[in-house]
Amino acid sequence: MILKETPLASTDSDYIKWDPKFEIGIPVIDEQHKKLVELCNNSYQALIKQRTSGSTWEQSLSGTLHECVEYVQTHFKDEEKLMAACGYPGFQEHKKVHESFIKKIIETSHSFQGAGAGNSAFKFVKFLYDWILSHIAHEDKLYVRSVLEYYRQKKMQGSNQQSS
């Protein structure tokens, strides 16, 4: 992933560039991760737009923030179902990281008021970037082996049942 050296420097660029090397090998989760990157880029673009439109930080980011919270909750539920189904040993710790992230997003949404709102908006986009980098590129890769083994076993069971 590439972080822009000067955030908000241009009106036609993304904050994060998706790179296939960040794929974890579980197609449904990889697609959801791409969507999370898109949401971070949407937040970045909303901040750029705010500079030229004269709208407030809250107006610029409220829709993006709401979409982010909704999508993240769906994504986390999907990930957690996979981890639980495959018996991933780090499931409870991973779930706590998810809960912490949701709490942070909700707290951030309450900080988009008053004189410090602009600073909060910048911090929010930076937080999304940092989280995407660490969570998708590192933490999610920890459960991949368990999920892929689970899929392999299910596939073998399915083919054994068909040959019986």
Side-chain angles (χ1 to χ4, degrees):
M1 290 181 196
I2 300 169
L3 174 64
K4 295 289 178 191
E5 288 293 324
T6 53
L8 309 179
S10 133
T11 59
D12 60 356
S13 61
D14 290 334
Y15 195 56
I16 299 174
K17 298 290 185 195
W18 178 262
D19 190 316
K21 72 181 178 183
F22 299 116
E23 293 177 358
I24 64 172
I26 302 169
V28 66
I29 300 298
D30 287 334
E31 287 304 312
Q32 290 178 351
H33 287 163
K34 287 178 188 176
K35 177 69 175 178
L36 291 171
V37 167
E38 179 185 323
L39 289 170
C40 186
N41 287 330
N42 290 349
S43 298
Y44 175 71
Q45 292 297 331
L47 289 173
I48 291 170
K49 191 178 207 177
Q50 183 278 332
R51 285 183 12 178
T52 59
S53 71
S55 62
T56 66
W57 298 103
E58 186 176 30
Q59 290 168 328
S60 296
L61 279 178
S62 64
T64 303
L65 185 64
H66 177 73
E67 183 180 6
C68 185
V69 169
E70 294 293 317
Y71 191 78
V72 162
Q73 289 175 328
T74 298
H75 169 66
F76 286 170
K77 285 177 187 172
D78 290 347
E79 269 191 355
E80 290 167 7
K81 284 178 191 174
L82 278 175
M83 287 186 278
C86 74
Y88 173 59
F91 171 66
Q92 290 303 322
E93 294 84 22
H94 200 103
K95 187 174 180 174
K96 287 178 185 174
V97 171
H98 287 171
E99 291 166 355
S100 175
F101 179 74
I102 299 239
K103 181 180 176 188
K104 177 71 172 178
I105 288 180
I106 291 169
E107 287 172 0
T108 300
S109 71
H110 297 301
S111 68
F112 289 139
Q113 298 174 10
N119 192 33
S120 294
F122 283 103
K123 285 181 181 178
F124 173 70
V125 173
K126 175 73 168 100
F127 171 72
L128 280 179
Y129 168 80
D130 289 341
W131 183 82
I132 287 169
L133 243 174
S134 67
H135 192 79
I136 293 174
H138 173 69
E139 291 185 46
D140 280 356
K141 289 187 177 184
L142 298 175
Y143 70 75
V144 170
R145 185 179 304 194
S146 295
V147 171
L148 292 178
E149 178 62 22
Y150 170 74
Y151 281 156
R152 187 186 68 74
Q153 288 176 359
K154 283 188 65 104
K155 186 176 181 179
M156 286 179 62
Q157 288 173 353
S159 63
N160 286 343
Q161 290 174 353
Q162 289 178 358
S163 62
S164 298

